[in-house]
mmCIF file of all heavy atoms in Angstrom:
data_model
loop_
_atom_site.group_PDB
_atom_site.id
_atom_site.type_symbol
_atom_site.label_atom_id
_atom_site.label_comp_id
_atom_site.label_asym_id
_atom_site.label_seq_id
_atom_site.Cartn_x
_atom_site.Cartn_y
_atom_site.Cartn_z
ATOM 1 N N TRP A 1 -60.701 -26.593 50.999
ATOM 2 C CA TRP A 1 -60.573 -25.182 50.289
ATOM 3 C C TRP A 1 -59.230 -24.940 49.920
ATOM 4 O O TRP A 1 -58.919 -24.411 48.763
ATOM 5 C CB TRP A 1 -61.271 -24.156 50.942
ATOM 6 C CG TRP A 1 -62.714 -24.240 50.916
ATOM 7 C CD1 TRP A 1 -63.603 -24.578 51.940
ATOM 8 C CD2 TRP A 1 -63.617 -23.954 49.877
ATOM 9 N NE1 TRP A 1 -64.940 -24.451 51.595
ATOM 10 C CE2 TRP A 1 -64.944 -24.039 50.207
ATOM 11 C CE3 TRP A 1 -63.325 -23.465 48.509
ATOM 12 C CZ2 TRP A 1 -66.053 -23.801 49.383
ATOM 13 C CZ3 TRP A 1 -64.353 -23.127 47.589
ATOM 14 C CH2 TRP A 1 -65.657 -23.378 48.061
ATOM 15 N N SER A 2 -58.314 -25.178 50.699
ATOM 16 C CA SER A 2 -56.733 -25.012 50.372
ATOM 17 C C SER A 2 -56.348 -25.822 49.216
ATOM 18 O O SER A 2 -55.654 -25.304 48.414
ATOM 19 C CB SER A 2 -55.905 -25.091 51.608
ATOM 20 O OG SER A 2 -56.316 -24.319 52.720
ATOM 21 N N SER A 3 -56.928 -27.069 49.227
ATOM 22 C CA SER A 3 -56.317 -27.881 48.157
ATOM 23 C C SER A 3 -56.880 -27.578 46.855
ATOM 24 O O SER A 3 -56.399 -27.492 45.829
ATOM 25 C CB SER A 3 -56.829 -29.392 48.471
ATOM 26 O OG SER A 3 -56.120 -29.868 49.690
ATOM 27 N N ILE A 4 -58.320 -27.062 46.876
ATOM 28 C CA ILE A 4 -58.858 -26.555 45.613
ATOM 29 C C ILE A 4 -58.120 -25.301 45.173
ATOM 30 O O ILE A 4 -57.841 -25.149 43.904
ATOM 31 C CB ILE A 4 -60.322 -26.269 45.999
ATOM 32 C CG1 ILE A 4 -61.129 -27.519 46.196
ATOM 33 C CG2 ILE A 4 -61.049 -25.554 44.743
ATOM 34 C CD1 ILE A 4 -62.549 -27.399 46.631
ATOM 35 N N LEU A 5 -57.725 -24.414 46.026
ATOM 36 C CA LEU A 5 -57.183 -23.143 45.652
ATOM 37 C C LEU A 5 -55.732 -23.506 45.158
ATOM 38 O O LEU A 5 -55.314 -22.690 44.226
ATOM 39 C CB LEU A 5 -57.118 -22.245 46.782
ATOM 40 C CG LEU A 5 -58.600 -21.642 47.078
ATOM 41 C CD1 LEU A 5 -58.548 -20.819 48.450
ATOM 42 C CD2 LEU A 5 -58.956 -20.763 45.976
ATOM 43 N N GLN A 6 -55.060 -24.412 45.682
ATOM 44 C CA GLN A 6 -53.714 -24.731 45.247
ATOM 45 C C GLN A 6 -53.798 -25.357 43.851
ATOM 46 O O GLN A 6 -52.971 -25.116 42.961
ATOM 47 C CB GLN A 6 -52.960 -25.645 45.982
ATOM 48 C CG GLN A 6 -53.346 -27.031 46.215
ATOM 49 C CD GLN A 6 -52.241 -27.971 46.943
ATOM 50 O OE1 GLN A 6 -51.202 -27.524 47.188
ATOM 51 N NE2 GLN A 6 -52.686 -29.066 47.395
ATOM 52 N N GLY A 7 -54.926 -26.095 43.635
ATOM 53 C CA GLY A 7 -55.198 -26.641 42.216
ATOM 54 C C GLY A 7 -55.336 -25.544 41.175
ATOM 55 O O GLY A 7 -54.886 -25.613 40.151
ATOM 56 N N VAL A 8 -56.158 -24.587 41.696
ATOM 57 C CA VAL A 8 -56.448 -23.426 40.812
ATOM 58 C C VAL A 8 -55.103 -22.637 40.487
ATOM 59 O O VAL A 8 -54.881 -22.284 39.331
ATOM 60 C CB VAL A 8 -57.432 -22.415 41.321
ATOM 61 C CG1 VAL A 8 -57.535 -21.101 40.693
ATOM 62 C CG2 VAL A 8 -58.857 -23.097 41.512
ATOM 63 N N CYS A 9 -54.306 -22.446 41.416
ATOM 64 C CA CYS A 9 -53.000 -21.841 41.138
ATOM 65 C C CYS A 9 -52.115 -22.440 40.198
ATOM 66 O O CYS A 9 -51.475 -22.052 39.292
ATOM 67 C CB CYS A 9 -52.215 -21.747 42.390
ATOM 68 S SG CYS A 9 -52.858 -20.470 43.590
ATOM 69 N N ALA A 10 -52.145 -23.940 40.314
ATOM 70 C CA ALA A 10 -51.389 -24.783 39.493
ATOM 71 C C ALA A 10 -51.887 -24.738 38.077
ATOM 72 O O ALA A 10 -51.161 -24.626 37.058
ATOM 73 C CB ALA A 10 -51.406 -26.255 39.879
ATOM 74 N N LEU A 11 -53.318 -24.756 37.839
ATOM 75 C CA LEU A 11 -53.858 -24.702 36.542
ATOM 76 C C LEU A 11 -53.425 -23.238 35.909
ATOM 77 O O LEU A 11 -53.115 -23.251 34.763
ATOM 78 C CB LEU A 11 -55.388 -24.720 36.643
ATOM 79 C CG LEU A 11 -55.908 -26.082 36.764
ATOM 80 C CD1 LEU A 11 -57.436 -26.071 37.073
ATOM 81 C CD2 LEU A 11 -55.601 -26.959 35.492
ATOM 82 N N ALA A 12 -53.584 -22.171 36.657
ATOM 83 C CA ALA A 12 -53.085 -20.892 36.239
ATOM 84 C C ALA A 12 -51.676 -20.860 35.707
ATOM 85 O O ALA A 12 -51.319 -20.220 34.696
ATOM 86 C CB ALA A 12 -53.524 -19.892 37.171
ATOM 87 N N LEU A 13 -50.871 -21.478 36.548
ATOM 88 C CA LEU A 13 -49.403 -21.593 36.399
ATOM 89 C C LEU A 13 -49.074 -22.237 34.980
ATOM 90 O O LEU A 13 -48.175 -21.929 34.204
ATOM 91 C CB LEU A 13 -48.753 -22.189 37.516
ATOM 92 C CG LEU A 13 -47.288 -22.278 37.592
ATOM 93 C CD1 LEU A 13 -46.768 -20.775 37.719
ATOM 94 C CD2 LEU A 13 -46.887 -23.133 38.726
ATOM 95 N N LEU A 14 -49.929 -23.290 34.818
ATOM 96 C CA LEU A 14 -49.508 -24.163 33.599
ATOM 97 C C LEU A 14 -50.166 -23.757 32.385
ATOM 98 O O LEU A 14 -49.665 -24.054 31.252
ATOM 99 C CB LEU A 14 -49.765 -25.665 34.080
ATOM 100 C CG LEU A 14 -49.241 -26.304 35.195
ATOM 101 C CD1 LEU A 14 -49.696 -27.696 35.442
ATOM 102 C CD2 LEU A 14 -47.599 -26.261 35.077
ATOM 103 N N GLU A 15 -51.360 -23.172 32.476
ATOM 104 C CA GLU A 15 -52.177 -22.871 31.216
ATOM 105 C C GLU A 15 -51.995 -21.635 30.693
ATOM 106 O O GLU A 15 -52.200 -21.309 29.529
ATOM 107 C CB GLU A 15 -53.644 -23.284 31.434
ATOM 108 C CG GLU A 15 -53.950 -24.736 31.924
ATOM 109 C CD GLU A 15 -53.451 -25.763 30.951
ATOM 110 O OE1 GLU A 15 -53.430 -25.432 29.717
ATOM 111 O OE2 GLU A 15 -53.080 -26.880 31.304
ATOM 112 N N ALA A 16 -51.705 -20.574 31.536
ATOM 113 C CA ALA A 16 -51.648 -19.221 31.052
ATOM 114 C C ALA A 16 -50.191 -18.934 30.588
ATOM 115 O O ALA A 16 -49.228 -19.448 31.135
ATOM 116 C CB ALA A 16 -51.977 -18.314 32.168
ATOM 117 N N ASN A 17 -50.204 -17.997 29.635
ATOM 118 C CA ASN A 17 -48.836 -17.487 29.101
ATOM 119 C C ASN A 17 -48.558 -16.381 29.868
ATOM 120 O O ASN A 17 -48.971 -15.248 29.454
ATOM 121 C CB ASN A 17 -48.980 -17.321 27.649
ATOM 122 C CG ASN A 17 -47.617 -16.955 26.904
ATOM 123 O OD1 ASN A 17 -46.633 -17.114 27.581
ATOM 124 N ND2 ASN A 17 -47.601 -16.402 25.811
ATOM 125 N N LEU A 18 -47.780 -16.461 30.872
ATOM 126 C CA LEU A 18 -47.664 -15.347 31.861
ATOM 127 C C LEU A 18 -46.172 -14.792 31.815
ATOM 128 O O LEU A 18 -45.303 -15.560 31.569
ATOM 129 C CB LEU A 18 -47.934 -15.747 33.308
ATOM 130 C CG LEU A 18 -49.503 -16.159 33.538
ATOM 131 C CD1 LEU A 18 -49.628 -16.779 34.868
ATOM 132 C CD2 LEU A 18 -50.425 -15.065 33.302
ATOM 133 N N PRO A 19 -46.050 -13.491 32.256
ATOM 134 C CA PRO A 19 -44.610 -13.060 32.488
ATOM 135 C C PRO A 19 -44.036 -13.809 33.593
ATOM 136 O O PRO A 19 -44.660 -14.351 34.540
ATOM 137 C CB PRO A 19 -44.917 -11.527 32.800
ATOM 138 C CG PRO A 19 -46.192 -11.116 32.238
ATOM 139 C CD PRO A 19 -46.985 -12.510 32.251
ATOM 140 N N LEU A 20 -42.719 -13.734 33.768
ATOM 141 C CA LEU A 20 -41.932 -14.602 34.667
ATOM 142 C C LEU A 20 -42.432 -14.202 36.049
ATOM 143 O O LEU A 20 -42.456 -15.052 37.017
ATOM 144 C CB LEU A 20 -40.464 -14.383 34.431
ATOM 145 C CG LEU A 20 -39.532 -15.410 35.118
ATOM 146 C CD1 LEU A 20 -39.889 -16.796 34.655
ATOM 147 C CD2 LEU A 20 -37.986 -15.028 34.760
ATOM 148 N N ILE A 21 -42.576 -13.013 36.356
ATOM 149 C CA ILE A 21 -42.847 -12.413 37.698
ATOM 150 C C ILE A 21 -44.108 -13.157 38.182
ATOM 151 O O ILE A 21 -44.385 -13.491 39.327
ATOM 152 C CB ILE A 21 -42.836 -10.879 37.868
ATOM 153 C CG1 ILE A 21 -43.136 -10.561 39.307
ATOM 154 C CG2 ILE A 21 -43.984 -10.361 36.882
ATOM 155 C CD1 ILE A 21 -42.001 -10.900 40.303
ATOM 156 N N TYR A 22 -45.153 -13.146 37.287
ATOM 157 C CA TYR A 22 -46.448 -13.702 37.618
ATOM 158 C C TYR A 22 -46.312 -15.151 37.973
ATOM 159 O O TYR A 22 -47.061 -15.806 38.787
ATOM 160 C CB TYR A 22 -47.500 -13.494 36.541
ATOM 161 C CG TYR A 22 -47.911 -12.015 36.543
ATOM 162 C CD1 TYR A 22 -47.988 -11.280 35.312
ATOM 163 C CD2 TYR A 22 -48.214 -11.263 37.639
ATOM 164 C CE1 TYR A 22 -48.268 -9.849 35.196
ATOM 165 C CE2 TYR A 22 -48.573 -9.901 37.549
ATOM 166 C CZ TYR A 22 -48.561 -9.286 36.315
ATOM 167 O OH TYR A 22 -48.843 -7.906 36.244
ATOM 168 N N ILE A 23 -45.463 -15.955 37.217
ATOM 169 C CA ILE A 23 -45.302 -17.296 37.411
ATOM 170 C C ILE A 23 -44.753 -17.578 38.784
ATOM 171 O O ILE A 23 -45.132 -18.494 39.483
ATOM 172 C CB ILE A 23 -44.191 -17.829 36.370
ATOM 173 C CG1 ILE A 23 -44.857 -17.946 34.927
ATOM 174 C CG2 ILE A 23 -43.754 -19.266 36.659
ATOM 175 C CD1 ILE A 23 -43.919 -18.171 33.848
ATOM 176 N N TYR A 24 -43.712 -16.691 39.137
ATOM 177 C CA TYR A 24 -43.308 -16.820 40.641
ATOM 178 C C TYR A 24 -44.263 -16.494 41.622
ATOM 179 O O TYR A 24 -44.304 -17.129 42.751
ATOM 180 C CB TYR A 24 -41.955 -16.081 40.769
ATOM 181 C CG TYR A 24 -40.921 -16.528 39.887
ATOM 182 C CD1 TYR A 24 -39.784 -15.638 39.375
ATOM 183 C CD2 TYR A 24 -40.617 -17.782 39.528
ATOM 184 C CE1 TYR A 24 -38.760 -15.983 38.635
ATOM 185 C CE2 TYR A 24 -39.790 -18.237 38.652
ATOM 186 C CZ TYR A 24 -38.675 -17.302 38.217
ATOM 187 O OH TYR A 24 -37.690 -17.869 37.432
ATOM 188 N N VAL A 25 -45.053 -15.522 41.323
ATOM 189 C CA VAL A 25 -46.066 -15.089 42.308
ATOM 190 C C VAL A 25 -47.067 -16.288 42.388
ATOM 191 O O VAL A 25 -47.575 -16.551 43.606
ATOM 192 C CB VAL A 25 -46.796 -13.863 41.809
ATOM 193 C CG1 VAL A 25 -48.153 -13.632 42.781
ATOM 194 C CG2 VAL A 25 -45.887 -12.633 42.022
ATOM 195 N N LEU A 26 -47.573 -16.879 41.308
ATOM 196 C CA LEU A 26 -48.459 -17.985 41.522
ATOM 197 C C LEU A 26 -47.904 -19.180 42.131
ATOM 198 O O LEU A 26 -48.471 -19.872 42.950
ATOM 199 C CB LEU A 26 -48.903 -18.471 39.940
ATOM 200 C CG LEU A 26 -50.034 -17.585 39.328
ATOM 201 C CD1 LEU A 26 -50.080 -18.074 37.886
ATOM 202 C CD2 LEU A 26 -51.314 -17.822 40.203
ATOM 203 N N SER A 27 -46.548 -19.373 41.948
ATOM 204 C CA SER A 27 -45.822 -20.511 42.668
ATOM 205 C C SER A 27 -45.851 -20.190 44.135
ATOM 206 O O SER A 27 -46.076 -21.112 44.980
ATOM 207 C CB SER A 27 -44.401 -20.597 42.230
ATOM 208 O OG SER A 27 -44.276 -20.998 40.731
ATOM 209 N N ALA A 28 -45.649 -18.953 44.647
ATOM 210 C CA ALA A 28 -45.634 -18.560 45.936
ATOM 211 C C ALA A 28 -47.148 -18.788 46.596
ATOM 212 O O ALA A 28 -47.243 -19.283 47.696
ATOM 213 C CB ALA A 28 -45.181 -17.215 46.202
ATOM 214 N N CYS A 29 -48.146 -18.431 45.731
ATOM 215 C CA CYS A 29 -49.412 -18.553 46.198
ATOM 216 C C CYS A 29 -49.759 -20.101 46.328
ATOM 217 O O CYS A 29 -50.480 -20.654 47.429
ATOM 218 C CB CYS A 29 -50.450 -17.973 45.284
ATOM 219 S SG CYS A 29 -50.444 -16.201 45.243
ATOM 220 N N PHE A 30 -49.209 -20.789 45.496
ATOM 221 C CA PHE A 30 -49.376 -22.402 45.524
ATOM 222 C C PHE A 30 -48.849 -22.821 46.919
ATOM 223 O O PHE A 30 -49.471 -23.634 47.528
ATOM 224 C CB PHE A 30 -48.719 -22.988 44.335
ATOM 225 C CG PHE A 30 -48.818 -24.527 44.432
ATOM 226 C CD1 PHE A 30 -49.983 -25.072 43.737
ATOM 227 C CD2 PHE A 30 -47.896 -25.244 45.002
ATOM 228 C CE1 PHE A 30 -49.857 -26.520 43.837
ATOM 229 C CE2 PHE A 30 -47.939 -26.627 44.999
ATOM 230 C CZ PHE A 30 -49.002 -27.314 44.470
ATOM 231 N N GLY A 31 -47.704 -22.371 47.224
ATOM 232 C CA GLY A 31 -46.992 -22.710 48.471
ATOM 233 C C GLY A 31 -47.958 -22.265 49.573
ATOM 234 O O GLY A 31 -47.929 -23.091 50.635
ATOM 235 N N VAL A 32 -48.610 -21.174 49.653
ATOM 236 C CA VAL A 32 -49.262 -20.671 50.789
ATOM 237 C C VAL A 32 -50.424 -21.710 50.979
ATOM 238 O O VAL A 32 -50.678 -22.151 52.128
ATOM 239 C CB VAL A 32 -49.837 -19.244 50.469
ATOM 240 C CG1 VAL A 32 -50.950 -18.893 51.523
ATOM 241 C CG2 VAL A 32 -48.744 -18.174 50.623
ATOM 242 N N PHE A 33 -51.236 -22.008 49.966
ATOM 243 C CA PHE A 33 -52.395 -22.938 50.120
ATOM 244 C C PHE A 33 -51.963 -24.345 50.472
ATOM 245 O O PHE A 33 -52.541 -25.086 51.099
ATOM 246 C CB PHE A 33 -53.169 -22.876 48.833
ATOM 247 C CG PHE A 33 -53.841 -21.470 48.614
ATOM 248 C CD1 PHE A 33 -53.651 -20.821 47.509
ATOM 249 C CD2 PHE A 33 -54.652 -20.973 49.533
ATOM 250 C CE1 PHE A 33 -54.243 -19.545 47.206
ATOM 251 C CE2 PHE A 33 -55.239 -19.762 49.368
ATOM 252 C CZ PHE A 33 -55.051 -19.094 48.231
ATOM 253 N N PHE A 34 -50.754 -24.641 49.911
ATOM 254 C CA PHE A 34 -50.199 -26.101 50.244
ATOM 255 C C PHE A 34 -50.041 -26.124 51.697
ATOM 256 O O PHE A 34 -50.238 -27.073 52.373
ATOM 257 C CB PHE A 34 -48.890 -26.210 49.403
ATOM 258 C CG PHE A 34 -48.229 -27.616 49.735
ATOM 259 C CD1 PHE A 34 -48.601 -28.658 48.961
ATOM 260 C CD2 PHE A 34 -47.352 -27.734 50.745
ATOM 261 C CE1 PHE A 34 -47.990 -29.994 49.183
ATOM 262 C CE2 PHE A 34 -46.697 -28.944 50.919
ATOM 263 C CZ PHE A 34 -46.953 -29.984 50.247
ATOM 264 N N GLU A 35 -49.357 -25.045 52.214
ATOM 265 C CA GLU A 35 -49.034 -25.141 53.826
ATOM 266 C C GLU A 35 -50.185 -25.212 54.526
ATOM 267 O O GLU A 35 -50.294 -25.991 55.495
ATOM 268 C CB GLU A 35 -48.241 -23.879 53.961
ATOM 269 C CG GLU A 35 -48.085 -23.614 55.519
ATOM 270 C CD GLU A 35 -47.363 -24.638 56.268
ATOM 271 O OE1 GLU A 35 -46.876 -25.498 55.690
ATOM 272 O OE2 GLU A 35 -47.291 -24.504 57.565
ATOM 273 N N PHE A 36 -51.342 -24.412 54.181
ATOM 274 C CA PHE A 36 -52.577 -24.580 54.942
ATOM 275 C C PHE A 36 -53.201 -26.073 54.862
ATOM 276 O O PHE A 36 -53.566 -26.487 55.800
ATOM 277 C CB PHE A 36 -53.566 -23.413 54.417
ATOM 278 C CG PHE A 36 -53.397 -22.186 54.945
ATOM 279 C CD1 PHE A 36 -53.588 -21.061 54.073
ATOM 280 C CD2 PHE A 36 -52.993 -21.944 56.095
ATOM 281 C CE1 PHE A 36 -53.412 -19.744 54.443
ATOM 282 C CE2 PHE A 36 -52.787 -20.550 56.624
ATOM 283 C CZ PHE A 36 -52.875 -19.458 55.759
ATOM 284 N N ALA A 37 -53.109 -26.596 53.745
ATOM 285 C CA ALA A 37 -53.651 -27.787 53.353
ATOM 286 C C ALA A 37 -52.918 -28.825 54.107
ATOM 287 O O ALA A 37 -53.466 -29.804 54.909
ATOM 288 C CB ALA A 37 -53.805 -28.214 52.023
ATOM 289 N N GLN A 38 -51.505 -28.887 54.043
ATOM 290 C CA GLN A 38 -50.844 -30.000 54.648
ATOM 291 C C GLN A 38 -50.855 -29.815 56.158
ATOM 292 O O GLN A 38 -50.788 -30.881 56.889
ATOM 293 C CB GLN A 38 -49.463 -30.051 54.116
ATOM 294 C CG GLN A 38 -48.365 -28.987 54.586
ATOM 295 C CD GLN A 38 -47.765 -29.273 56.010
ATOM 296 O OE1 GLN A 38 -47.721 -30.460 56.357
ATOM 297 N NE2 GLN A 38 -47.408 -28.292 56.773
ATOM 298 N N ASN A 39 -50.939 -28.574 56.657
ATOM 299 C CA ASN A 39 -50.933 -28.358 58.127
ATOM 300 C C ASN A 39 -52.241 -28.941 58.706
ATOM 301 O O ASN A 39 -52.279 -29.605 59.731
ATOM 302 C CB ASN A 39 -50.896 -26.919 58.525
ATOM 303 C CG ASN A 39 -51.039 -26.572 60.053
ATOM 304 O OD1 ASN A 39 -50.199 -27.042 60.782
ATOM 305 N ND2 ASN A 39 -51.939 -25.903 60.202
ATOM 306 N N ALA A 40 -53.392 -28.777 57.910
ATOM 307 C CA ALA A 40 -54.641 -29.247 58.420
ATOM 308 C C ALA A 40 -54.580 -30.807 58.392
ATOM 309 O O ALA A 40 -55.110 -31.495 59.345
ATOM 310 C CB ALA A 40 -55.705 -28.726 57.504
ATOM 311 N N LEU A 41 -54.044 -31.515 57.334
ATOM 312 C CA LEU A 41 -54.114 -32.964 57.172
ATOM 313 C C LEU A 41 -52.989 -33.497 57.986
ATOM 314 O O LEU A 41 -53.400 -34.487 58.791
ATOM 315 C CB LEU A 41 -53.914 -33.152 55.819
ATOM 316 C CG LEU A 41 -53.786 -34.731 55.427
ATOM 317 C CD1 LEU A 41 -55.089 -35.382 55.722
ATOM 318 C CD2 LEU A 41 -53.555 -34.905 53.855
ATOM 319 N N ASN A 42 -51.795 -33.104 57.887
ATOM 320 C CA ASN A 42 -50.686 -33.878 58.513
ATOM 321 C C ASN A 42 -50.567 -33.499 60.042
ATOM 322 O O ASN A 42 -50.085 -34.404 60.818
ATOM 323 C CB ASN A 42 -49.482 -33.641 57.873
ATOM 324 C CG ASN A 42 -49.353 -34.347 56.552
ATOM 325 O OD1 ASN A 42 -48.935 -35.407 56.265
ATOM 326 N ND2 ASN A 42 -49.815 -33.597 55.357
ATOM 327 N N ASN A 43 -50.787 -32.300 60.505
ATOM 328 C CA ASN A 43 -50.598 -31.899 61.854
ATOM 329 C C ASN A 43 -51.720 -31.762 62.706
ATOM 330 O O ASN A 43 -51.587 -31.688 63.772
ATOM 331 C CB ASN A 43 -49.762 -30.435 61.679
ATOM 332 C CG ASN A 43 -48.666 -30.531 60.901
ATOM 333 O OD1 ASN A 43 -48.002 -31.479 60.500
ATOM 334 N ND2 ASN A 43 -48.279 -29.242 60.320
#
């Protein structure tokens, strides 16, 4: 689920024409889901 959600964040980041603040918020959300996913897999 974390991997799917980080993929959704990446899609929104790349496909939407967003203000800069939303781009950074999506990048942070991507980092959140990335951390959950990598912690589950690698650790």
Side-chain angles (χ1 to χ4, degrees):
W1 283 108
S2 297
S3 296
I4 291 170
L5 289 171
Q6 73 168 345
V8 171
C9 289
L11 278 172
L13 186 65
L14 300 176
E15 300 302 329
N17 186 14
L18 298 171
L20 199 56
I21 185 63
Y22 292 130
I23 290 173
Y24 294 150
V25 169
L26 279 172
S27 298
C29 291
F30 180 90
V32 169
F33 294 122
F34 179 91
E35 166 64 4
F36 281 141
Q38 78 80 29
N39 178 60
L41 178 60
N42 289 271
N43 306 339

